[in-house]
Amino acid sequence: MIENRYDQEEAKRWRQQAGADPADQELAERVYTSRLIGQDPDLVMHGGGNTSVKVKRRDLYGEEKAVLHIKGSGWDLGVVEAQGLPGVWLDPLLKQRRLDGLSDKEMISAQRGALLDANSPNPSIETLLHAFLPHPYVDHTHATPFLVLANLPNAQDVCREIFGDRVGVVPYLMPGFALDKRAAEIFDENPEMEGLLLLNHGHVAFGGTAQESYRRVVDHANEVAAYFGLNKTAIEASDAPVEDLSVLTLLRGVIAEQRGDPDTPMPVFDRRGGPGTQDIWSRSDIEALAKRGVCSPDHVLHIKGWPLVLPRAVWSKGRDAIVTAVQAFEEDYTAYYERNAPRFDAVGPMVSPEPRHAWIEGIGIVGIGDDGRSAAIAADLAQQNMAVRIAGEDAGGFHPISEEDQFECEYWPVERAKLDRLSKPVLQGKVVMVTGGAGAIGLATATAFAELGANCVLVDLDAARLEAAVGELGPWHSTFACDITQEGAAEAAVDHAVATFGGLDVLVSNAGSATGGAMLDLDDAAFRKAFELNFFAHKNFSTAAAALMVKQARPGQILFNISKQAINPGKNMGAYGMPKAATMFLMRQLALELGGNGVRVNGINADRIRSGLLTDDFIKERSAARGVSEADYMGGNLLKREVEARHVGEAFVALALSERTTGHVLTVDGGNTAAELR
């Protein structure tokens, strides 16, 4: 059951905060119920759906006129704000219904010309649908139960059986003027109806108030769910174990290999392993269902029209079998493009033919994207599509739009233009693991990578500190809590990166801790403990990461946080400097051995960075040992400036971007002649 989460008091609060203007109050409640819809993945997902409200506002001359506020292009209902529902003068929109036809370009231009604010985003492509319906509030969603209904061969009969004449049925048409006008005509045949079923597309509900329209969205979807016996959502989180992680590692490398350029980033994965993702493998019609198409036209932009299907019998044979399967998928997609492109005018060049989601037996559903966000979108939509396919087929048949219609949606200039405008950060597609990720240097390093588009895995001992740290990074990152000195910790952390994002591109082996004391005073136990963290943990994580990178068969990088202590020993710091010196040699040895595999290995020698290692107490101790003030100790370099954690993070990123550099140590210490390597 989909929960009705409307709260009278919360709605009242939204209206009160909008001020005294009745139009602003209606818009505020529109924002509130739009968010309720957008935050429920069983109603809409990832920017899908649109909502509107009709109000009265005064124009430049003081005349009161009708205005339609509708979701703007690029806004997500789950986080929409008032400015994400641009106002459009309603009368010019209503006049367009008199026209026999209107191209997308003409329609968009006319709508922009009717905007109250010329700086607003483009109104939704379905603006006229909302304008032509007379209700103050209109909600268009892609609820999972309605997608099952909308793709049945007898959807109109079933809709009538469920709703009687409360919901009208609109035949499939491409989004745009023709669909909007036809929907209005069907509504006019029965103005008492509560909603519309858009065949092969979704559901529209409307009402006199925000609460009424939202209630109809939820109630209608629940009525359909009850009819089909759908008692669980399509989107389920799961920590189900992976049968064999190596298939993800190999698949990630194989897909990138088909792109040609060895420096092209690998895709990022998002795996869903709930029980529902494996049910399909017991069906005899799996191949037919896989090829049938998507349950809502816009989904094709994110997941293509069909998945890469990898039965256990295929992927268990290893890399060559996976290469064959991926190449076959790309050949099928190329043939699909070549069949359909001649049928349409102004079709753009073929997009990458690689798969955008996969069904993998024993693994689950895998969303495939250019980064964590797009992979998660693909995984969500793929999981919903699988659920709709199964439920629809069992309820009478899953029959989505034709291949020709699907192609028209996939290469629709309106939607392709949105995707083509998206920026591609320089580290997009890179998965970066940072040990000591909850500490000052670790978090600063992860932040520097994340700001350039990387998806990060933070590794540290304290789970609570990790959650706080990843909260600063934002979504599309992950954490793994462990004691990095324990046996198997490195392998477990690397496995987590594979299970979460499909693999690993950069390891920043950063975690460390300083053990102070004179050589004559420290016992072997203290030295061994220092070596476990400051050398063996680096060795274990780097070799585990390197093994994965070699299996991916694509370039990777290992970065060490070494220390100036490896070059310039400090008094009473032998237990710290000696394992760091060994780590520097480890860096050089790995650079020598891994270069042929395209894995670069570099390091940072930093000094005097405020962190968990260099605490206030430690600074006091070291400055006293040097006989200087704390301020002079922190600025004790050639530049006379304190070096901060962010400078170290930026240096790690600089090395990651240095594609032809390996075996190098970069100093980040403000200048220290005694610690120079050359």
Side-chain angles (χ1 to χ4, degrees):
M1 292 287 289
I2 298 170
E3 181 185 358
N4 185 326
R5 295 183 293 118
Y6 185 92
D7 182 281
Q8 290 275 11
E9 290 302 314
E10 184 67 6
K12 182 179 179 181
R13 185 182 69 81
W14 277 85
R15 295 181 74 94
Q16 288 174 339
Q17 290 180 344
D21 187 333
D24 289 342
Q25 292 177 358
E26 294 293 333
L27 178 58
E29 190 171 358
R30 170 73 286 177
V31 171
Y32 167 59
T33 55
S34 297
R35 289 188 177 193
L36 294 180
I37 291 168
Q39 291 167 8
D40 191 330
D42 252 337
L43 294 177
V44 297
M45 284 192 286
H46 301 295
N50 41 71
T51 61
S52 69
V53 61
K54 299 177 182 75
V55 299
K56 296 284 188 179
R57 294 190 184 277
R58 295 193 181 278
D59 67 8
L60 183 63
Y61 308 102
E63 297 178 18
E64 190 173 70
K65 293 185 177 180
V67 171
L68 174 74
H69 283 278
I70 185 163
K71 191 191 87 167
S73 177
W75 281 87
D76 189 306
L77 289 179
V79 294
V80 73
E81 298 176 8
Q83 60 264 37
L85 292 158
V88 190
W89 298 114
L90 185 58
D91 285 345
L93 303 181
L94 296 177
K95 288 179 182 177
Q96 293 173 31
R97 189 173 175 185
R98 305 172 194 167
L99 301 174
D100 294 328
L102 197 62
S103 71
D104 292 335
K105 184 177 181 180
E106 291 170 331
M107 182 176 66
I108 293 169
S109 178
Q111 290 170 7
R112 284 211 61 82
L115 283 167
L116 275 67
D117 181 352
N119 295 315
S120 296
N122 282 349
S124 166
I125 195 67
E126 289 160 337
T127 292
L128 294 182
L129 170 63
H130 291 251
F132 294 164
L133 293 170
H135 306 79
Y137 285 85
V138 179
D139 294 317
H140 171 41
T141 60
H142 304 131
T144 303
F146 266 102
L147 293 180
V148 174
L149 172 61
N151 289 289
L152 290 177
N154 59 338
Q156 185 164 352
D157 294 336
V158 176
C159 184
R160 187 176 297 111
E161 184 177 346
I162 298 171
F163 295 108
D165 60 1
R166 290 184 295 130
V167 174
V169 179
V170 182
Y172 175 76
L173 291 165
M174 272 282 290
F177 178 74
L179 171 63
D180 301 341
K181 189 171 181 178
R182 184 70 183 117
E185 292 168 349
I186 289 172
F187 171 80
D188 287 346
E189 295 172 3
N190 175 21
E192 299 302 315
M193 67 176 60
E194 301 172 354
L196 294 166
L197 169 66
L198 308 182
L199 292 183
N200 305 121
H201 188 164
H203 171 235
V204 180
F206 27 77
T209 66
Q211 182 179 11
E212 181 180 47
S213 187
Y214 171 68
R215 175 177 56 77
R216 286 175 172 172
V217 168
V218 174
D219 288 352
H220 289 180
N222 282 333
E223 287 181 70
V224 178
Y227 179 87
F228 292 120
L230 303 175
N231 54 15
K232 62 181 180 179
T233 64
I235 307 304
E236 299 173 299
S238 174
D239 294 323
V242 177
E243 187 171 310
D244 186 346
L245 279 172
S246 67
V247 64
L248 298 179
T249 303
L250 293 173
L251 178 60
R252 187 170 183 246
V254 165
I255 291 174
E257 185 179 272
Q258 309 312 305
R259 298 173 175 177
D261 183 353
D263 291 322
T264 299
M266 288 181 279
V268 176
F269 292 171
D270 188 306
R271 183 187 70 91
R272 305 298 163 86
T277 67
Q278 293 301 314
D279 293 346
I280 202 163
W281 291 99
S282 63
R283 300 179 66 99
S284 60
D285 58 356
I286 182 171
E287 289 291 341
L289 279 180
K291 286 285 190 178
R292 199 74 62 79
V294 291
C295 63
S296 187
D298 58 309
H299 292 184
V300 72
L301 296 164
H302 301 284
I303 61 173
K304 286 195 163 71
W306 63 93
L308 170 68
V309 180
L310 288 178
R312 184 182 293 104
V314 172
W315 63 255
S316 62
K317 294 178 181 178
R319 183 181 183 84
D320 289 346
I322 294 173
V323 168
T324 299
V326 171
Q327 289 177 342
F329 181 98
E330 296 194 359
E331 289 168 3
D332 286 349
Y333 186 86
T334 301
Y336 156 79
Y337 178 85
E338 292 173 348
R339 272 195 312 274
N340 288 282
R343 301 175 184 174
F344 300 95
D345 295 329
V347 171
M350 185 178 74
V351 300
S352 170
E354 66 192 37
R356 281 299 176 178
H357 75 292
W359 296 353
I360 308 178
E361 188 175 9
I363 304 296
I365 291 171
V366 176
I368 303 171
D370 294 329
D371 54 22
R373 178 180 181 275
S374 58
I377 290 173
D380 282 346
L381 295 177
Q383 190 166 359
Q384 184 184 46
N385 270 265
M386 179 184 280
V388 171
R389 277 176 167 90
I390 293 173
E393 191 69 6
D394 293 345
F398 174 68
H399 293 273
I401 57 176
S402 68
E403 177 181 284
E404 183 175 346
D405 287 332
Q406 175 183 286
F407 183 88
E408 185 178 14
C409 291
E410 186 173 3
Y411 284 88
W412 188 20
V414 172
E415 293 295 341
R416 289 252 64 94
K418 293 180 188 177
L419 297 176
D420 292 342
R421 284 196 300 267
L422 295 177
S423 63
K424 295 184 178 180
V426 66
L427 290 177
Q428 183 182 70
K430 299 296 186 183
V431 179
V432 179
M433 177 179 289
V434 183
T435 67
I441 295 175
L443 181 55
T445 298
T447 299
F449 276 99
E451 286 176 347
L452 293 180
N455 297 109
C456 297
V457 179
L458 305 185
V459 179
D460 216 312
L461 184 62
D462 189 307
R465 291 185 65 216
L466 277 173
E467 288 306 310
V470 82
E472 293 187 32
L473 289 184
W476 325 120
H477 305 285
S478 185
T479 64
F480 187 76
C482 68
D483 179 347
I484 64 171
T485 66
Q486 293 299 304
E487 183 178 355
E491 290 77 11
V494 169
D495 284 351
H496 173 80
V498 175
T500 304
F501 294 120
L504 185 64
D505 300 281
V506 180
L507 168 69
V508 181
S509 191
N510 163 72
S513 180
T515 299
M519 293 291 293
L520 299 183
D521 297 334
L522 290 172
D523 58 20
D524 284 354
F527 270 98
R528 287 194 171 93
K529 184 176 181 180
F531 265 86
E532 286 294 338
L533 180 59
N534 295 312
F535 171 72
F536 282 106
H538 288 294
K539 190 272 291 184
N540 293 337
F541 268 79
S542 60
T543 54
L548 175 69
M549 292 171 185
V550 169
K551 181 172 284 188
Q552 288 173 161
R554 302 292 290 177
Q557 183 164 189
I558 297 168
L559 298 168
F560 292 103
N561 189 347
I562 305 175
S563 171
K564 77 97 185 179
Q565 293 288 336
I567 302 298
N568 177 216
K571 185 178 180 181
N572 296 335
M573 292 298 293
Y576 180 60
M578 284 188 282
K580 285 296 189 177
T583 298
M584 178 175 284
F585 187 89
L586 171 68
M587 181 273 295
R588 289 174 168 166
Q589 189 68 33
L590 288 175
L592 177 67
E593 296 184 12
L594 296 174
N597 299 104
V599 178
R600 296 180 290 120
V601 190
N602 296 293
I604 294 286
N605 272 5
D607 189 30
R608 301 186 194 178
I609 314 296
R610 293 182 188 272
S611 63
L613 187 155
L614 202 65
T615 62
D616 289 343
D617 288 341
F618 186 84
I619 293 170
K620 183 180 295 185
E621 174 191 330
R622 296 309 302 159
S623 59
R626 300 278 180 105
V628 298
S629 70
E630 293 180 25
D632 286 345
Y633 175 74
M634 294 304 293
N637 53 54
L638 297 179
L639 298 178
K640 305 299 182 184
R641 303 283 298 276
E642 180 175 341
V643 182
E644 301 172 16
R646 66 181 178 88
H647 298 127
V648 181
E650 291 163 1
F652 276 125
V653 167
L655 283 173
L657 295 174
S658 301
E659 295 182 347
R660 297 297 182 267
T661 298
T662 193
H664 178 64
V665 176
L666 179 64
T667 59
V668 187
D669 57 11
N672 182 347
T673 302
E676 292 172 357
L677 283 98
R678 295 179 181 175

